[in-house]
Amino acid sequence: YFNTASLILGHLLSKGQGECYRARSAYKLLQVDDLFQIFEGAERIIDLCGAPGSWSQVCRKKLADKGFFVEGDNCEVFCMSM
């Protein structure tokens, strides 16, 4: 049997895999940006504790070639191409 939460999580998981985000948490960051436009006018972003990298993917996509992005973590974060 399926409950609502499992259906929503399944939808986000399949959506994330289709868009190649490393984790569903990328969608939370996108929701925050939709509400508060946190990337508007951003020129520099530093992502500390960047593993597994889903927020970094969103940040790089939002900055495109208009800014400077740095990511770091104690854990290994594998190189990503966008």
Side-chain angles (χ1 to χ4, degrees):
Y1 108 85
F2 291 100
N3 61 26
T4 304
S6 67
L7 290 174
I8 291 170
L9 290 176
H11 169 71
L12 288 176
L13 180 59
S14 63
K15 185 175 180 181
Q17 289 172 341
E19 295 181 17
C20 298
Y21 287 122
R22 293 181 176 197
R24 293 186 311 257
S25 58
Y27 295 102
K28 288 295 180 188
L29 184 59
L30 290 169
Q31 283 179 330
V32 169
D33 185 47
D34 285 343
L35 289 173
F36 302 107
Q37 294 80 41
I38 61 174
F39 293 108
E40 189 173 315
E43 296 176 4
R44 294 175 199 88
I45 297 176
I46 299 173
D47 185 5
L48 303 176
C49 302
S54 60
W55 281 29
S56 298
Q57 287 177 295
V58 171
C59 292
R60 287 182 63 180
K61 188 175 182 181
K62 290 288 186 174
L63 275 180
D65 293 328
K66 298 179 284 188
F68 182 73
F69 176 76
V70 176
E71 173 190 23
D73 200 305
N74 288 345
C75 300
E76 186 172 359
V77 180
F78 297 100
C79 188
M80 64 182 93
S81 60
M82 294 287 296

